[in-house]
Amino acid sequence: MKDTEVKDNTTEEEPVKEAAEVPASSSSDEDEYDDIDDDDEPMDEGDEQTTCLFCTETSTSISVAIDHLDARHKVNLLELRRKFQMDQYSFIKLINYIRANKISAEQLLSAEQPFWQDEKYLQPGEYEPWLCYDYEDLKTDGASTQPSVLELQQRIAEQSQLLQQANEDMERMRNDYKALLQKVHADGEPKGSNQSVPRNIVCLDNEYFKSYSHFGIHHEMLSDKVRTSTYRSSLLQNEAVVRGKTVLDVGCGTGILSIFASKAGAARVVGIDNSDIVYTAMDIIRKNKVENVELIKGRLEDTDLPEPKYDIIISEWMGYFLLYESMLDSIIYARENHLKPNGIILPSRCTLSLLGYGDDTLYAEQVEFWSNVYEVDMSDLRKQSIEEPLMQVVDANFMLTEPEQIANFDIMTVDINYPNFTHQFSLKVTKPGRISAFVGYFDTLFELPSPVMFSTSPNATPTHWKQTVFFVDNPQVVKEGDVISGKITSRRHKEDVRGLSVDIEVFGKKRKYIVV
C-alpha cells in the first residue's frame, strides 16, 4: 500500500509573505531584482517542457508527459516500479538506458528483468526533466488504478477457480493414464513377462496425448515464468541463429514456442502435436496473424511433414525428475529423421543432480503420518508413501549436502537407452542434521552464442517441475564433513513405458522407487 502523501504547506506560504512586504512604490530596478530572485527559485517540476521517452512529442510538464506515456505507449511508471522494485536511482538508470539504447516501449514492456541496472547508467548526461523527477511521488488514482476490495476479491476468486481447474485436470490426466495402463496389461502382455515394452504404442500414446487436451496442464506450464521466459529468451536473444531458418516445434501444445520462433525471424515454423489442444493453437496463430507458422495434428512418428528436414528442432519435453513421460524419445526420432546436417536442437543439454535432504516436518507429514491417522494405524501405507517419490518445492534451508550431477544428456548425441543409467555418488555433508530423503532436480541449457539456462534446484526460482523427493525409511544423523556414499540406478519402467524405476542404494540398504 502506498503511503499517504503529506505536503509541507509552509514553503508554499513564504512567497506570499514576502510579496506582502514589498512596498507598492518599488522601483523598476527592484522589480528586476525580484525577477532575478524569481529565476533563482527552484523551478516547479511540472513547469518544464518534457520530451517523451519513446517518441518526439513534447509535453508542457512532466506530469503531462507521464500521462502521455501511459495513454500512448501503455507504459505505466507505477507498474514498472512495482514489477522491478525500483527506487529513484533505478528510474535514473532506466531513463539513461532508454536514451542510450533507443529501445521501444514494446521492448520495455516485454522485459522480464531490469537490463538497466549497470552503474554506468547513473553517469550524468544531458539534462532533462525526467532525471529530476521524484519517482517516489508516483501515486495512483484511487478511482481508476488502485483496485477496490471487490475487484481484489474477484481476482482471487478467478485465480482460485483456475487453480482448482488445473488440479482437477492434472488428477483426471493421472487417472486416465493409470486406467489405460491397467487395460493394456489386462488385454495384452502378462505382468510377469521380462520382455521390454515396445516404444510408441499407438493406443498408449493416444491416451497420453488425450491427457494434454485439458486446459489446466497448459495453464500450469504457461504460467511458469521460468520455463516460458527462458525459451523465449533463447530465441529472441539469438535472432542471428534463428533468422531465415526452418524450425520444427515438437509437441507444440498451445503454439507459444512456434510464435517465439517466428518473432525471432524464422523463415518457416512447423509445429506438431497429437493432442486436441492443437486446434485451439491454430486459432491462436490465426488470431495473432502469425503467417509463417503451420500447425499439424498427429503423431510425429506417423506424420508426413511439410518439409522433410529442418534447421532447428525445439521442444519442451522435460518431465518430473527430467525423464518422466519419456518424451525425449520423440526428440531423438525427430533428430534422426528431420534434422538437417549441422542443425541444432533446443534445449541443447540437460543434467540431472541429487542431494541429501533433511526436513523433519516434511518427513512427519508425508511418511510418519501413516502411523496414526485419526487414531487408526495405517502404517501399511508407509511403504507406498516412500516408494512413490513426492513432487514438491522443497525448502533449500534443509539441504544437508552439496549436490552432485548424476547424469548429463547431450541432446545431439543421446540415444534411446537414456533412461537406463547408474551413478556412484559421494555427497559431502555441509551442515549437521538428519538425512530423511534425497532430492533430485535438473538443469536445462541452451548452448547458443547468447547462452541461457534454467534450473529446478531448490536454490532456484520454483518451477512447475518442482523437485523429486525420495524418502528413506530409516533417516540417518550426519555431521558436517561426512561423505554419504551410495549408488543410484535408473531404468525405464517395464510396464509403464513413460515411467521410471529408480533404485537408491545407501546406508547399507537398497530402496526401490517408481516415478509414475
Side-chain angles (χ1 to χ4, degrees):
M1 181 180 294
K2 177 161 175 63
D3 293 334
T4 304
E5 184 178 66
V6 179
K7 295 184 178 179
D8 186 350
N9 294 325
T10 305
T11 56
E12 296 179 359
E13 293 175 359
E14 288 178 352
V16 177
K17 292 173 66 177
E18 291 177 2
E21 294 172 1
V22 176
S25 59
S26 298
S27 65
S28 60
D29 289 341
E30 290 174 327
D31 290 340
E32 290 178 3
Y33 183 78
D34 289 341
D35 290 341
I36 294 173
D37 282 349
D38 291 341
D39 290 340
D40 288 342
E41 288 291 325
M43 181 176 289
D44 189 334
E45 289 175 336
D47 291 339
E48 294 185 87
Q49 287 195 336
T50 307
T51 302
C52 176
L53 295 173
F54 304 107
C55 68
T56 58
E57 182 164 330
T58 301
S59 302
T60 56
S61 68
I62 192 166
S63 298
V64 175
I66 290 174
D67 292 339
H68 165 78
L69 279 185
D70 196 357
R72 174 74 178 277
H73 301 289
K74 309 303 181 186
V75 175
N76 186 293
L77 298 185
L78 182 63
E79 291 180 1
L80 283 179
R81 188 175 74 179
R82 291 171 176 166
K83 179 178 180 180
F84 297 112
Q85 301 297 308
M86 296 173 67
D87 57 15
Q88 183 72 16
Y89 293 109
S90 298
F91 274 105
I92 292 174
K93 291 178 183 178
L94 173 61
I95 301 305
N96 287 328
Y97 176 82
I98 293 172
R99 294 304 192 200
N101 295 280
K102 297 180 173 57
I103 68 168
S104 66
E106 291 75 16
Q107 289 173 306
L108 176 60
L109 291 173
S110 65
E112 295 295 334
Q113 54 185 333
F115 300 114
W116 50 88
Q117 290 297 67
D118 196 306
E119 294 301 313
K120 69 181 181 181
Y121 293 117
L122 276 179
Q123 296 177 2
E126 184 177 346
Y127 168 78
E128 61 175 320
W130 291 109
L131 299 174
C132 296
Y133 183 71
D134 186 358
Y135 293 94
E136 298 298 325
D137 285 343
L138 286 171
K139 57 182 182 295
T140 62
D141 179 354
S144 59
T145 307
Q146 187 70 25
S148 65
V149 173
L150 179 59
E151 289 173 330
L152 290 174
Q153 290 175 337
Q154 290 175 340
R155 292 181 190 178
I156 292 172
E158 290 172 357
Q159 292 300 316
S160 297
Q161 185 176 5
L162 289 175
L163 180 59
Q164 181 180 357
Q165 181 66 48
N167 289 333
E168 291 175 355
D169 286 344
M170 291 293 288
E171 184 63 24
R172 190 181 303 114
M173 178 182 73
R174 180 180 287 269
N175 291 336
D176 288 349
Y177 195 37
K178 287 185 175 180
L180 171 74
L181 288 174
Q182 293 173 358
K183 181 177 184 299
V184 169
H185 299 320
D187 297 340
E189 180 185 8
K191 292 184 178 181
S193 173
N194 291 323
Q195 296 180 357
S196 61
V197 177
R199 303 299 303 133
N200 301 320
I201 302 174
V202 175
C203 64
L204 186 62
D205 276 352
N206 285 342
E207 291 299 322
Y208 169 72
F209 291 122
K210 181 181 177 181
S211 70
Y212 275 87
S213 299
H214 301 299
F215 156 80
I217 194 169
H218 294 284
H219 177 268
E220 182 184 36
M221 292 188 294
L222 289 172
S223 60
D224 183 341
K225 290 186 177 181
V226 172
R227 164 198 180 270
T228 309
S229 64
T230 303
Y231 271 88
R232 180 176 64 175
S233 296
S234 72
L235 295 167
L236 299 186
Q237 293 179 17
N238 291 279
E239 291 186 2
V241 176
V242 183
R243 187 178 301 112
K245 302 297 178 59
T246 53
V247 178
L248 175 62
D249 180 1
V250 179
C252 62
T254 58
I256 189 68
L257 301 188
S258 295
I259 294 174
F260 289 160
S262 175
K263 289 185 175 181
R268 185 181 190 184
V269 183
V270 173
I272 182 169
D273 201 303
N274 202 28
S275 166
D276 287 345
I277 194 67
V278 74
Y279 296 123
T280 302
M282 292 174 184
D283 292 334
I284 293 171
I285 295 297
R286 283 191 291 268
K287 186 172 184 178
N288 286 272
K289 299 179 180 178
V290 186
E291 297 180 354
N292 63 335
V293 171
E294 179 181 356
L295 302 185
I296 299 171
K297 170 74 161 61
R299 284 174 81 247
L300 177 66
E301 294 82 358
D302 303 330
T303 304
D304 292 329
L305 300 178
E307 295 185 22
K309 303 284 185 178
Y310 296 82
D311 299 299
I312 300 171
I313 294 174
I314 190 168
S315 179
E316 192 274 82
W317 55 266
M318 298 80 71
Y320 293 131
F321 196 54
L322 180 62
L323 303 180
Y324 174 64
E325 293 187 23
S326 295
M327 188 179 165
L328 184 53
D329 289 14
S330 294
I331 309 308
I332 294 172
Y333 178 89
R335 182 192 70 199
E336 298 302 316
N337 294 275
H338 298 296
L339 186 65
K340 290 182 179 179
N342 301 319
I344 63 173
I345 301 177
L346 300 176
S348 317
R349 183 183 304 276
C350 290
T351 63
L352 194 55
S353 298
L354 192 74
L355 59 89
Y357 191 77
D359 183 346
D360 289 340
T361 300
L362 181 65
Y363 191 80
E365 292 174 349
Q366 299 294 329
V367 179
E368 294 175 348
F369 166 83
W370 300 106
S371 299
N372 186 344
V373 183
Y374 295 96
E375 300 181 355
V376 176
D377 184 353
M378 294 189 175
S379 54
D380 289 345
L381 291 172
R382 175 188 171 102
K383 181 180 179 182
Q384 289 179 250
S385 70
I386 293 175
E387 288 179 346
E388 292 188 15
L390 174 68
M391 307 303 169
Q392 180 160 318
V393 175
V394 301
D395 188 340
N397 290 320
F398 296 103
M399 293 170 54
L400 299 185
T401 75
E402 295 177 347
E404 182 173 318
Q405 185 179 116
I406 60 174
N408 188 323
F409 303 100
D410 181 344
I411 311 305
M412 288 297 295
T413 59
V414 66
D415 61 30
I416 202 70
N417 197 44
Y418 65 87
N420 307 317
F421 65 87
T422 297
H423 178 84
Q424 300 277 353
F425 60 80
S426 297
L427 303 177
K428 183 177 180 180
V429 178
T430 56
K431 59 182 177 182
R434 191 175 75 133
I435 297 284
S436 57
F438 292 91
V439 170
Y441 70 89
F442 64 89
D443 295 340
T444 299
L445 296 84
F446 298 77
E447 298 171 331
L448 295 164
S450 179
V452 296
M453 63 87 66
F454 69 84
S455 176
T456 63
S457 162
N459 285 316
T461 303
T463 70
H464 79 281
W465 286 287
K466 308 174 186 178
Q467 288 90 38
T468 305
V469 184
F470 300 92
F471 288 111
V472 298
D473 55 357
N474 56 334
Q476 299 289 312
V477 175
V478 295
K479 62 181 183 298
E480 184 176 356
D482 286 351
V483 175
I484 301 173
S485 298
K487 180 174 71 174
I488 182 170
T489 301
S490 170
R491 59 189 181 276
R492 198 186 295 273
H493 196 278
K494 291 182 178 180
E495 296 179 352
D496 183 347
V497 295
R498 294 189 181 273
L500 297 171
S501 294
V502 177
D503 295 345
I504 298 180
E505 190 171 345
V506 69
F507 303 139
K509 184 177 181 180
K510 178 187 288 187
R511 297 162 182 82
K512 296 181 178 294
Y513 305 90
I514 302 175
V515 184
V516 292

